[in-house]
Amino acid sequence: PAAEPIKQALAKRIGAASGLLCVIGANSTSDGWMEWELKKADALGKRVIAVRINRDCSPPELLSDIGATAAMSFTFEGIRRAIDEAYGDSTLD
């Protein structure tokens, strides 16, 4: 119940965005908030771009279930390539 106002605010922001950039850290597979945000983005038809802080960070299985695009490295170019792949062209120009 106490989380509902936070969820409503996040849902509004996710709804207004064209996609969701998911940054994966060491605890991401056990983060209930991340799972909720990913499910909300998927339910709203948003593109999800996932990037791991480093290769040792395991991505949540839900990312592949919802068809997220993965960045190959935690760099500007790696993230840009993933965004380009998700959207089909260069969206940052």
Side-chain angles (χ1 to χ4, degrees):
E4 280 311 307
I6 296 169
K7 286 182 176 182
Q8 288 176 358
L10 286 172
K12 185 176 179 180
R13 289 181 183 262
I14 292 169
S18 62
L20 179 74
L21 178 63
C22 176
V23 179
I24 302 164
N27 299 316
S28 295
T29 56
S30 62
D31 188 331
W33 278 104
M34 179 178 280
E35 181 178 334
W36 181 88
E37 289 174 292
L38 291 170
K39 286 180 178 179
K40 178 57 72 176
D42 185 49
L44 294 172
K46 303 301 176 175
R47 292 177 174 97
V48 176
I49 295 97
V51 59
R52 292 187 282 178
I53 292 174
N54 64 53
R55 295 201 181 271
D56 295 334
C57 300
S58 298
E61 286 185 31
L62 179 59
L63 287 170
S64 61
D65 294 345
I66 64 173
T69 303
M72 294 296 112
S73 64
F74 192 62
T75 63
F76 176 81
E77 282 305 316
I79 295 168
R80 181 183 176 115
R81 279 189 216 106
I83 292 170
D84 288 349
E85 182 181 331
Y87 287 88
D89 62 11
S90 180
T91 59
L92 297 178
D93 289 337

